[in-house]
Amino acid sequence: MENVENQTPLPSSQSCFQVSFQRSLYITLSICTLVIVVTLYNEFLNNPTITGLDDSTFPVTDVPFPGISVCSINKISKRKAEKFAELLANLTGKSRSLMINYIRQIGQLYDFDFIPSKVDDLLDFQKILNNSGFKLIDVIKNLAISCDELLVTCSWKSVSVNCSEIFQMKLTHDGYCCIFNSWNSSLGTRSKNRKSVLTASADMKNGLHLVVKNQLDDYFYSIISSVGIIIQIFDSINYPDKTSGSMKEILIENGTESFIEVNPTTYQAVQDVKDYPVEKRDCLFRRESPTVFGNMYSLSNCIVGCKIESALALCQCIPFKMPLSNESTICTLEDVPCLHRYRGTQMF
C-alpha cells in the first residue's frame, strides 16, 4: 500500500481577494470611525453648549417679573423751572427770563442736542451754578417730574398699594424715571436681601396696574415731539438702557388706556456647563464676571460698562443718565459739545 500524505490545499485566487477586501474594508471603516470621533470631539470642544427647548410647560409662577420704568416725556417741570429761575435771579441779580432760558439748556444733557450759538449760555449757566453752590445732578433731579406727581394710583396683583412703596425714582437711559422691581440703583448697587418678584399667574388681574397723571401745562422740555409717557420693560438685574438692546419701550399717549402683554423667554444652563472654560462655552454665568453693577453679570450691563469707559475716554466725564456718575465724573454743561460730537456713534 502507498502512504498518502495529507496536504493543505493552496488558497485560490478568489479566496485571496476576499481576505484582502475584508482587511481593506476593516481598515477603511476604522479610519472613518476615528475621523468621525475626532471631528465630533473637536466640535464639542469648540461648541460645548447647545440651546434647545427643554419644557414647554415651564410654570409661569417661576418666571421673574420684569423691571418696569414709567418715564415722563417732559424732562423738566415748568413749575419747578420757574421757581428755580426766581431763586437764581435773586441770587445773581440777573433777569428771571434769562434764568428761564438758561435752565432750558439743561435739556441738552438729556439728548445732547447741542446748539453752537448757545455755547456761551452753557458756560455762563454752569458758572452760575458753581458759584451759587448748586450741584448739577441735584438740579436735574429736582427739576424732573417726581413719582408723587406722575403716579396717581398703583395696584399689584389686584391689591391697591401706595405707589411710593413699590416705585422709586431712579436713573434710566432716558433720565430720571419711576421704577418698579429693579435690582440696580442709580449708583449701581443692589440690596443684599433683594428677592426676585415672581409672576403670580398669566392674567391681567395679577399684573401691575397704574393710573398716571400727565400735566400738559407743566411741559417745559420734551425729549421727543409728543406728549404722554414712556413705559420701559427690562430684565430686573439690568440697568434700563435702550442702546444695549435689552429694553423695550412703549409710548403711551395722553388720555388713553393701554394694556401691555409680556411674553417671556427663559434660558437656563445646566451646572455641567460651568466645568468648561469660558472661551469654549462662550457664555458667562451671573456671578462669573464682575461689572460696574457688582457681581451680577449680564450682556446688557457689560455693554453699559463699555459705554461708561468710552465716555470717560472720549469726553473725560460720564453723562448723568449713566450709572456711577458722581460729582467728580458727571458731565456738566461745559461737556455738551463733546457729548454732541459722539452722539451719533451710540458710544453713550
Side-chain angles (χ1 to χ4, degrees), residues 66-86:
I68 304 293
S69 298
V70 183
C71 308
S72 174
I73 294 177
N74 178 33
K75 293 305 176 184
I76 300 178
S77 165
K78 181 179 179 181
R79 175 179 53 81
K80 294 179 180 179
E82 291 175 345
K83 185 177 181 180
F84 188 49
E86 190 73 33

Side-chain angles (χ1 to χ4, degrees), residues 291-293 299-314 322 346-348:
T291 66
V292 294
F293 303 100
L299 177 60
S300 176
N301 288 343
C302 182
I303 293 175
V304 173
C306 292
K307 290 167 62 177
I308 291 175
E309 293 179 359
S310 296
L312 285 171
L314 296 172
M322 289 187 175
Q346 292 190 349
M347 289 292 184
F348 39 81

Side-chain angles (χ1 to χ4, degrees), residues 182 184 234-240 246 286 293 298-301:
S182 174
N184 292 313
F234 56 96
D235 190 326
S236 61
I237 73 162
N238 289 341
Y239 173 76
S246 63
R286 291 290 194 198
F293 303 100
S298 73
L299 177 60
S300 176
N301 288 343

Side-chain angles (χ1 to χ4, degrees), residues 11-225:
S12 65
S13 59
Q14 184 177 3
S15 298
C16 291
F17 174 77
Q18 290 177 346
V19 172
S20 299
F21 177 77
Q22 290 175 353
R23 289 178 178 176
S24 300
L25 181 62
Y26 174 78
I27 294 173
T28 302
L29 292 176
S30 299
I31 294 174
C32 291
T33 302
L34 181 61
V35 170
I36 292 174
V37 170
V38 172
T39 301
L40 292 176
Y41 180 73
N42 288 332
E43 288 183 357
F44 176 74
L45 290 179
N46 293 329
N47 301 286
T49 57
I50 299 175
T51 302
L53 181 62
D54 181 30
D55 189 355
S56 59
T57 59
F58 188 81
V60 69
T61 53
D62 290 343
V63 177
F65 199 82
I68 304 293
S69 298
V70 183
C71 308
S72 174
I73 294 177
N74 178 33
K75 293 305 176 184
I76 300 178
S77 165
K78 181 179 179 181
R79 175 179 53 81
K80 294 179 180 179
E82 291 175 345
K83 185 177 181 180
F84 188 49
E86 190 73 33
L87 174 61
L88 291 176
N90 293 333
L91 291 175
T92 62
K94 298 181 182 294
S95 68
R96 180 176 176 273
S97 60
L98 178 62
M99 292 299 103
I100 286 287
N101 180 61
Y102 278 178
I103 292 173
R104 195 179 300 275
Q105 309 308 315
I106 292 178
Q108 296 181 40
L109 290 171
Y110 283 93
D111 51 24
F112 311 147
D113 192 16
F114 173 59
I115 303 174
S117 60
K118 299 290 185 179
V119 63
D120 291 337
D121 291 348
L122 294 174
L123 300 178
D124 290 343
F125 188 41
Q126 187 62 56
K127 289 180 181 179
I128 290 175
L129 293 177
N130 294 340
N131 295 335
S132 302
F134 291 105
K135 296 180 180 179
L136 183 59
I137 188 63
D138 293 335
V139 172
I140 294 173
K141 187 173 184 178
N142 291 334
L143 292 175
I145 311 300
S146 68
C147 296
D148 291 337
E149 297 169 310
L150 186 62
L151 303 176
V152 179
T153 62
C154 299
S155 174
W156 169 241
K157 296 182 179 180
S158 298
V159 178
S160 296
V161 294
N162 191 324
C163 295
S164 62
E165 295 179 359
I166 61 174
F167 279 91
Q168 292 178 292
M169 192 173 182
K170 296 181 180 181
L171 285 174
T172 73
H173 178 83
D174 287 331
Y176 280 104
C177 298
C178 301
I179 299 184
F180 168 79
N181 188 35
S182 174
W183 286 52
N184 292 313
S185 74
S186 58
L187 294 179
T189 58
R190 68 183 185 89
S191 173
K192 294 181 179 179
N193 299 322
R194 174 70 160 75
K195 295 182 179 180
S196 296
V197 175
L198 300 178
T199 304
S201 62
D203 59 68
M204 291 191 299
K205 294 181 179 180
N206 286 288
L208 181 66
H209 296 256
L210 308 172
V211 175
V212 179
K213 184 178 182 180
N214 191 32
Q215 303 181 61
L216 300 183
D217 58 350
D218 198 40
Y219 270 57
F220 187 79
Y221 193 96
S222 302
I223 54 175
I224 59 176
S225 300

